[in-house]
Each structure stands twice: as C-alpha cells, then as structure tokens.
Amino acid sequence: MIKINEKIINLDRKDTFHNVSSEVNKYIKNNPTKKVLSLGVGDVSKPIIKPIIDAMKSAVDELSKSETFKGYGNSHGYNFLKEKIIEVEYKDFNFSVDEVYISAGSKMDVTNILELFDISSSICITSPTYPIYKDGASCLNREVQLLKSDDKNNFIPEIPNKKFDIIYICSPNNPTGIAYSNEELKKWVDYAKKNGSVILYDNVYSSYIRSKGIPKSIYEVEGAFDVAIEFRSFSKDASFTGVRCSYYIIPNGVYKGINEIWKRRNINRFNGADYIAQRGAEESLSNESQKLLVENVDYYLENARLLRESFLKCSFKVWGGIDAPYLWIKTKNMTSWETFYFFLEELNIVIIPGIVFGEEGDNYFRVSSFGNRETIKTAIERIEKYCEKSI
Ligand code: PLP
C-alpha cells in the first residue's frame, strides 16, 4: 500500500486553531440562543477600501479584453508592484527588484523558504509563536527546536549558546504582541553573523508598530542585509486575508548568487500571485490608500487599547496590544484550555488557549483586537461585569 508522509499524519490535532473552532461550533450548535462574541480570530473585520477595490475592478476589466489580457505572469511577481514596494516600504535600503518576491500569502512563504536551505540545516523557533513555523517545517520533513521564553524575559528568548543555521523571529509577535527593539534584534543579527546563520523575519504586523525604537523592518538593524530574509503581507492592513498577496525580500548579501538560486526553485514551484491581487496591492501603497489603511490599523489598535485597559482593570497580567493587534494574557489558576471553556461557557466569548502557540503558552491566552468596535465593547462589558462579581 502507498505510504503517507508520517510527519503529516503525526501533526498535533488537539492544540490547534482548528480544534478551537470545532469546540466553538459545537457550543454554538448546542446553545443556539447564546450570542457568542469572538476575540479569537486573527482575521480582520474591516472591508477592503474603495480605491483598492476600484484598482482590482480595473484589473478585472483588463483581463476581459484581448489587448490587455494577462495570462501567466512572472513567477516572482510583476515589477510594477516590486518597484512600488521598494519605493514605499524600503525607500532607504536600495533593494533591486531581483531581491523582492511577490507571493500569495506569508503563511506559505515562511515555510516554503526552507526549501532554499540544505535539509541538514538546524532550525530554531522562538516560542511561544505562530504554530505554522513548526508544523509547516514538519510537513517538509524538517525538525525544529524551540527556544522557550516567558514573562521573565518579556517573551524574547535568550540568545542560544549553540549554533542554529536558521532562526525564526516573529515581530510584532503573534501571539504575544511583543515587538523587538533595535537593540534586541541587533543581538540576533550579531549571533547570525557570527554563526553564518540566517534569520527568517516574519514581519506581517509591521504596520501596527507605533512605539519609538521599534524598527519597522529588520533592515534598519545594522548588518541585517547579510543575514535576514523579511516576510510581509497585505493581509493585516489592506484586508487581503481573502484576496491573498504577500512579499518577501532576500537581500543579495545573504549568500552569493542566492537570488538566482531561489528563482530556479521558484519557477518550478510557483506560477506567480494573482494579477488582480497584485494591482490591488499596488494601489494599497498609494498615498491616498496608505492614509485610509493607517486609519484602519489605528481602529484595531484602539480596540486593543480598550481591551488592554479592561483586562488590566480586572487584574489580569497583560502583554502586547500596543504595537500589535494581539494581547497575551496570563490565566488565573487555570490551564489555557480551562480558561477557554470558562470564557466560552460563562461569558460566551471566544479566546485562543495559549497552548496552541506552544507548551509554554499553557498559562496564557490570546485575545485579538480585529473585531468591530461593537463586539469589543460588548465583550468588555461582559468581562468587567463578571470581574466585579468574582474578583
Ligand atoms: N505570519 C504570522 C505571524 C501570522 O499571524 C499570519 C496570519 O495570521 C501569517 C504569517 C499569514 O499571513 P498571510 O495571510 O499573508 O498568509
């Protein structure tokens, strides 16, 4: 009989987002009159802004006429979008279009990039973190080691005293909401330089950074051009979670000829991101759209501020929610699944149990600020009412 990839068969099925959704759906089915509010999802609630919709509509029109029809594009993305990204997002860095890749979502990009490195490469992941790094690596038959962190080090792990070839860093972090400062990142860049390692820098929440001293890109850190690959997405600011468009930068400094090598891989494994999405993404970088998108992100950050205040008022310990759309909250004498069921059953609010992001997350839970204001305010009322009674 055919053998199936055991790594996929053995993927965790218990402590997953999928399992959280199943439990929520089960509860809703059994309690149809309850109004369940979600502070769980990592999906945005704001619709796509009009200028982007108009740009995508024009792109659709182009596809309807033989003179302007587009078929297969460049596997690595259209230059009109790469040039716009360089101009708007990386204007101080002098990247060439050959170092920029357009893709269809960072979720696949952060894992696919492992194909660039030898199978023997050791990989470390700062944990708790976005679970896809570990599970995605596993699907590609790569093992990862976890660098654990906790509230004593503000969820930023110590620099390891052994060598790893590949280091995943997510900043601003999902789920902790912590963003690395320039000094903290510099330590990792120096470590990578010393050990000949590469940093895979997941920066999909860069547009949420508001604090001074937090770099919007790892390339603001001296030396990062030689060691870091940065991933970004249009999902969380331009509301492209359904449209699908992302990009990443592989600086030429990381390895001689790296971009020629990766393009060889890319043309065999990817036929390029959607043309309509790329036109929409281009528009998202125009001055007019940027202003509107900053307003959207500010709206989520205001939600985060309201949630943060409320949880603090209820004497929870809270991290994040300042430069990120997530709050990471310590449970009160319960495991993270117990906390999940408590919130669901007593308050009819969905939160994400911290264990979904790694074992050391079991004393925490994640709250998302991506909901609309009404949902956030109603959730806050329920939480505070409960706290008044019992805390
Ligand atoms: N990286 C992190 C840290 C995320 O939280 C997410 C989505 O939640 C992604 C990547 C995936 O983004 P995309 O929608 O571009 O696939």
Side-chain angles (χ1 to χ4, degrees):
M1 210 202 288
I2 190 80
K3 272 182 140 184
I4 300 292
N5 184 348
E6 284 206 359
K7 295 285 167 86
I8 300 180
I9 295 173
N10 294 332
L11 286 177
D12 182 10
R13 267 171 293 169
K14 191 173 142 287
D15 300 317
T16 60
F17 284 112
H18 181 70
N19 207 19
V20 172
S21 301
S22 308
E23 290 301 294
V24 173
N25 291 338
K26 216 186 323 170
Y27 181 82
I28 292 174
K29 200 167 165 222
N30 293 336
N31 299 277
T33 57
K34 304 273 189 198
K35 192 164 175 349
V36 176
L37 302 174
S38 182
L39 299 182
V41 282
D43 200 351
V44 292
S45 56
K46 290 256 173 210
I48 298 174
I49 57 171
K50 186 163 181 309
I52 299 180
I53 293 289
D54 289 345
M56 291 198 284
K57 281 184 182 164
S58 307
V60 171
D61 285 344
E62 283 182 59
L63 300 186
S64 72
K65 298 178 202 123
S66 31
E67 313 83 70
T68 47
F69 169 74
K70 303 280 179 308
Y72 288 126
N74 183 332
S75 296
H76 329 303
Y78 283 98
N79 277 353
F80 64 76
L81 180 53
K82 294 182 182 192
E83 281 160 5
K84 196 79 187 161
I85 288 168
I86 293 170
E87 175 201 323
V88 177
E89 296 291 328
Y90 294 105
K91 64 176 182 318
D92 299 330
F93 301 120
N94 224 5
F95 286 120
S96 69
V97 287
D98 288 336
E99 296 165 289
V100 183
Y101 296 80
I102 311 300
S103 186
S106 298
K107 185 177 201 168
M108 63 182 200
D109 300 339
V110 294
T111 302
N112 285 349
I113 197 72
L114 293 177
E115 292 180 24
L116 177 58
F117 305 103
D118 190 79
I119 191 97
S120 68
S121 309
S122 53
I123 307 172
C124 76
I125 291 179
T126 61
S127 174
T129 200
Y130 185 50
I132 300 308
Y133 309 138
K134 178 165 158 280
D135 292 347
S138 192
C139 293
L140 290 175
N141 274 306
R142 313 267 178 142
E143 296 293 330
V144 304
Q145 289 184 50
L146 302 178
L147 287 185
K148 301 191 175 174
S149 67
D150 55 31
D151 50 18
K152 283 180 216 73
N153 47 23
N154 203 28
F155 298 100
I156 296 182
E158 302 294 327
I159 302 289
N161 50 21
K162 63 186 255 201
K163 175 184 164 170
F164 287 100
D165 300 309
I166 298 171
I167 302 131
Y168 275 95
I169 296 180
C170 177
S171 176
N173 189 274
N174 176 8
T176 65
I178 299 289
Y180 284 55
S181 68
N182 200 305
E183 295 72 46
E184 280 148 356
L185 275 179
K186 176 82 169 78
K187 289 186 209 158
W188 287 96
V189 167
D190 290 347
Y191 167 88
K193 282 200 125 174
K194 189 171 130 212
N195 291 289
S197 322
V198 68
I199 296 172
L200 303 180
Y201 192 66
D202 185 341
N203 194 213
V204 303
Y205 298 102
S206 60
S207 48
Y208 287 75
I209 295 173
R210 294 287 182 274
S211 300
K212 287 211 173 75
I214 305 288
K216 288 226 166 174
S217 161
I218 194 167
Y219 303 119
E220 289 176 37
V221 178
E222 196 197 328
F225 293 101
D226 300 331
V227 294
I229 296 176
E230 178 162 290
F231 300 86
R232 295 235 190 128
S233 171
F234 294 96
S235 285
K236 310 291 177 160
D237 54 359
S239 299
F240 272 28
T241 47
V243 173
R244 314 304 300 145
C245 195
S246 59
Y247 58 97
Y248 53 95
I249 310 286
I250 307 183
N252 287 330
V254 172
Y255 184 92
K256 191 163 184 299
I258 195 166
N259 282 301
E260 263 172 52
I261 299 167
W262 184 240
K263 284 187 173 70
R264 244 177 269 159
R265 176 272 182 200
N266 227 26
I267 54 177
N268 285 297
R269 300 271 283 116
F270 187 51
N271 254 341
D274 182 315
Y275 174 68
I276 303 162
Q278 290 189 66
R279 280 296 183 197
E282 178 194 28
E283 171 53 38
S284 79
L285 295 166
S286 74
N287 283 343
E288 183 197 358
S289 291
Q290 286 280 292
K291 277 189 208 130
L292 296 172
L293 295 183
V294 168
E295 281 172 23
N296 281 0
V297 170
D298 281 346
Y299 175 91
Y300 297 130
L301 286 172
E302 174 61 10
N303 284 348
R305 192 189 64 75
L306 294 170
L307 286 164
R308 199 181 145 84
E309 259 183 17
S310 175
F311 278 102
L312 287 171
K313 203 155 108 191
C314 295
S315 58
F316 280 95
K317 285 194 179 152
V318 183
W319 289 263
I322 292 169
D323 295 300
Y326 300 119
L327 283 83
W328 185 239
I329 305 175
K330 191 143 189 167
T331 58
K332 290 186 181 176
N333 305 319
M334 284 192 237
T335 67
S336 61
W337 273 114
E338 284 165 355
T339 308
F340 165 81
Y341 287 115
F342 171 82
F343 269 80
L344 184 61
E345 289 161 11
E346 299 294 323
L347 305 176
N348 299 148
I349 291 174
V350 180
I351 50 99
I352 305 292
I355 198 162
V356 167
F357 306 95
E359 266 171 38
E360 52 291 330
D362 205 15
N363 292 325
Y364 301 87
F365 60 99
R366 190 193 78 176
V367 162
S368 151
S369 68
F370 279 130
N372 64 47
R373 188 66 46 78
E374 203 188 322
T375 303
I376 302 289
K377 284 195 164 162
T378 315
I380 286 174
E381 272 167 30
R382 287 187 197 173
I383 294 164
E384 293 190 357
K385 206 157 142 197
Y386 181 84
C387 288
E388 272 169 29
K389 272 197 298 183
S390 57
I391 296 177

